[in-house]
Amino acid sequence: MSDLLAFKSGRINQLALENRLVVAPMTRISASKTGVPGERMQRYYTRFAKGGFGAVITEGIYIDDEWSQTYDCQAGLINDEQVQGWRTITESLHMNGSKVIAQIQHSGALSQGNIYRSHTVAPSAIQPKGKQLEFYHGKGDYNVPLELSENNIQDIIRSFAVAASRAVNEAGFDGVEIHGANGYLLDQFFTDYTNQRSDHWGGDIASRLSLILEVIQAVRQSVGPSAVVGIRISQAKVNDFHHKWKEGKEGAEKVFSLLAISGVDYVHITEYEAWRPAFEDSPYSLVEIARNVAPKLIIIANGGTDDAEKADKVLKLGADYIAIGKSALANPDWPERVKSGKTLREFDSGILAPFADVKESELAQ
Ligand SMILES: Cc1cc2nc3c(=O)[nH]c(=O)nc-3n(C[C@H](O)[C@H](O)[C@H](O)COP(=O)(O)O)c2cc1C
């Protein structure tokens, strides 16, 4: 089993990784009310390192005391107490042989729990599709957001940069992943129907991507050349599962070409199943489209790679790393289990409740 591609060591920027297996970012709403990660979160994260994952990408972390917080009991990275909480976690992961990347997130219109502000913001004042996620204590429709001003947007770019610097320079993270996916603020700017702006942040696909590019630049400047900086992008959203990029394959090629020269170390592509064709009129997955237009771009692929065969299939399509979500929740020791030929546990949605994790006694190590 260990001759699988997934078990080859790798490198992202200066970061040496034991294998190609990464824990996907997963919100667990298990910090304190004030966004401080505690000891249970430390135990939760440490199990992935002990279980053999080369790296862990954290749950989405909020970046300012304005509109970025998305969920009740979400962890932040904006004050010393929160930073200290994360520091304990990064130290524990490093001690157990895994690298750790902070996912930094701004909710925009999808906020459904914010201790700092009672209204939401977005590129345009358009009510989000769908309903708030009850699982994360939301209820009913999303609020109609206020449209962000140019000053607000500049503040948000700065907040991403400051949070990134805190993550790397104070909390001990090896890098940051900018959350540009799944319907949150940066994706709201990128998406045609949520971004109706007539200024330079709206318009064609390149203009709608420009906030993501600006945030990447600001974050890169604040963390320096050697810390890892990644960007996560997706077609689907938590409130619109079946969304497809309007510009299709050609638009995707534009996006990956621009991201390849943006200063990021990797692009994290998440699809429902990473190997499936991305658009109806083309046989190629997003991973293949990205690999084709950007041969040197490091790609982390996510979606449906529940077992080693699927993970290897996506690596063969051109991904460099595989991020595993639900199957990692069910198997925090996924790499160790696969290496030693043990069967992987089936994912059971009961495990999604905060702290309803697999019992320590059931882990491989
Ligand atoms: C409980 C849970 C929480 C999630 N939270 C986040 C998050 O904070 N940030 C993010 O980018 N994706 C988040 N996701 C999406 C996962 O990273 C991943 O894309 C999804 O689970 C599909 O991958 P899988 O098929 O390996 O599970 C979450 C998924 C789950 C199941």
Side-chain angles (χ1 to χ4, degrees):
M1 270 297 180
S2 50
D3 57 342
L4 291 166
L5 289 178
F7 289 103
K8 290 205 165 12
S9 61
R11 175 174 287 273
I12 304 180
N13 196 334
Q14 310 287 312
L15 203 62
L17 288 102
E18 183 77 25
N19 55 45
R20 304 307 177 107
L21 299 164
V22 176
V23 178
M26 283 181 284
T27 291
R28 305 310 311 278
I29 56 167
S30 14
S32 73
K33 268 275 177 205
T34 54
V36 180
E39 200 199 324
R40 296 178 82 170
M41 278 177 67
Q42 184 199 332
R43 281 206 301 275
Y44 162 76
Y45 277 114
T46 302
R47 296 185 324 166
F48 297 121
K50 287 188 175 163
F53 280 94
V56 172
I57 304 173
T58 69
E59 60 206 272
I61 306 174
Y62 66 81
I63 56 165
D64 64 19
D65 57 0
E66 301 227 35
W67 305 289
S68 62
Q69 189 184 352
T70 317
Y71 301 111
D72 259 353
C73 296
Q74 181 185 8
L77 247 176
I78 67 169
N79 58 43
D80 292 346
E81 213 187 339
Q82 293 172 353
V83 165
Q84 190 46 48
W86 280 116
R87 182 147 203 109
T88 315
I89 294 172
T90 60
E91 280 168 359
S92 174
L93 285 171
H94 286 148
M95 230 154 56
N96 286 285
S98 177
K99 305 299 192 273
V100 54
I101 291 171
Q103 190 186 59
I104 48 178
Q105 177 190 24
H106 193 299
S107 60
L110 296 194
S111 177
Q112 54 176 60
N114 185 341
I115 56 174
Y116 308 99
R117 299 277 175 188
S118 55
H119 65 276
T120 57
V121 294
S124 307
I126 296 168
Q127 185 169 35
K129 291 184 179 179
K131 300 277 179 205
Q132 294 189 22
L133 308 182
E134 289 192 10
F135 190 72
Y136 293 147
H137 309 156
K139 209 165 168 217
D141 295 334
Y142 288 100
N143 295 328
V144 179
L146 296 180
E147 180 175 312
L148 286 162
S149 69
E150 181 61 29
N151 280 346
N152 297 151
I153 294 171
Q154 294 303 328
D155 285 345
I156 288 170
I157 295 171
R158 267 191 296 277
S159 295
F160 270 107
V162 171
S165 163
R166 276 182 181 276
V168 170
N169 298 318
E170 298 174 33
F173 284 100
D174 299 298
V176 293
E177 175 173 290
I178 299 160
H179 197 345
N182 302 358
Y184 299 103
L185 181 79
L186 296 179
D187 190 35
Q188 288 156 30
F189 270 84
F190 179 61
T191 300
D192 54 309
Y193 69 80
T194 47
N195 180 349
Q196 303 275 302
R197 297 179 74 95
S198 53
D199 62 9
H200 63 108
W201 301 113
D204 65 10
I205 194 162
S207 308
R208 299 197 316 270
L209 189 73
S210 61
L211 182 57
I212 286 183
L213 299 175
E214 294 263 339
V215 169
I216 290 171
Q217 255 190 27
V219 164
R220 171 57 75 205
Q221 244 177 9
S222 82
V223 299
S226 54
V228 169
V229 177
I231 175 77
R232 187 179 224 220
I233 52 165
S234 68
Q235 299 203 85
K237 308 170 193 314
V238 289
N239 63 328
D240 184 2
F241 289 140
H242 303 294
H243 178 72
K244 296 277 179 196
W245 295 343
K246 188 181 76 175
E247 294 83 353
K249 177 166 175 277
E250 214 174 291
E253 286 168 351
K254 178 93 197 157
V255 167
F256 293 122
S257 311
L258 288 168
L259 290 175
I261 53 166
S262 67
V264 280
D265 294 305
Y266 72 79
V267 174
H268 183 174
I269 300 170
T270 169
E271 287 265 83
Y272 174 60
E273 288 179 322
W275 59 90
R276 296 252 181 242
F279 305 103
E280 270 177 14
D281 57 355
S282 149
Y284 301 111
S285 62
L286 280 189
V287 168
E288 292 166 284
I289 295 171
R291 177 52 67 235
N292 190 40
V293 294
K296 291 196 179 139
L297 181 65
I298 292 183
I299 299 171
I300 301 183
N302 166 251
T305 54
D306 295 341
D307 59 44
E309 287 68 30
K310 287 180 185 150
D312 253 41
K313 175 162 80 177
V314 177
L315 288 167
K316 285 186 185 130
L317 285 182
D320 299 286
Y321 295 86
I322 298 295
I324 302 172
K326 295 184 289 296
S327 187
L329 278 187
N331 302 277
D333 51 354
W334 198 106
E336 290 299 332
R337 289 188 91 79
V338 169
K339 245 199 237 169
S340 57
K342 289 204 173 104
T343 328
L344 290 167
R345 292 178 209 91
E346 288 290 311
F347 172 74
D348 163 2
S349 60
I351 215 173
L352 287 179
F355 298 128
D357 301 319
V358 175
K359 290 188 187 63
E360 302 271 346
S361 57
E362 292 175 16
L363 297 179
Q365 69 282 346

